[in-house]
Amino acid sequence: MLPQDRQSEIMKQLHEFKTVKILGLSRELNVTGETIRKDLYELEEKGLFAKSMGRNSKQSKLRDKLH
């Protein structure tokens, strides 16, 4: 799976569930936790989500962009 496809799936899950867990994503997408961390870092750099107390959650401005 290409990085943009993984990141798209991550964003889809963030939109639906508001939070994601690295272990769950790595199992579902069949990649390592490190790969998920890199994807999350890239998404965070783009301002699409923010880490919060060990959790990964979508920023409200992304919700505004999607609606």
Side-chain angles (χ1 to χ4, degrees):
M1 180 179 276
L2 297 172
Q4 59 264 30
D5 295 333
R6 281 193 314 272
Q7 291 175 10
S8 177
E9 180 60 29
I10 291 168
M11 292 307 301
K12 187 167 91 174
Q13 289 195 24
L14 281 168
H15 181 70
E16 183 175 349
F17 303 112
K18 309 298 183 231
T19 63
V20 294
K21 293 188 178 182
I22 291 172
L23 181 59
L25 285 170
S26 67
R27 288 180 178 167
E28 184 176 330
L29 301 175
N30 199 30
V31 295
T32 66
E34 184 60 29
T35 298
I36 298 297
R37 282 184 203 79
K38 287 178 184 178
D39 288 336
L40 289 169
Y41 175 79
E42 288 181 22
L43 292 169
E44 185 177 27
E45 286 293 305
K46 294 175 185 176
L48 298 177
F49 94 104
K51 292 180 194 172
S52 173
M53 297 181 72
R55 293 187 172 195
N56 301 299
S57 60
K58 182 175 58 149
Q59 288 186 346
S60 60
K61 71 179 183 179
L62 173 64
R63 184 175 54 244
D64 295 339
K65 288 180 186 179
L66 293 174
H67 293 287

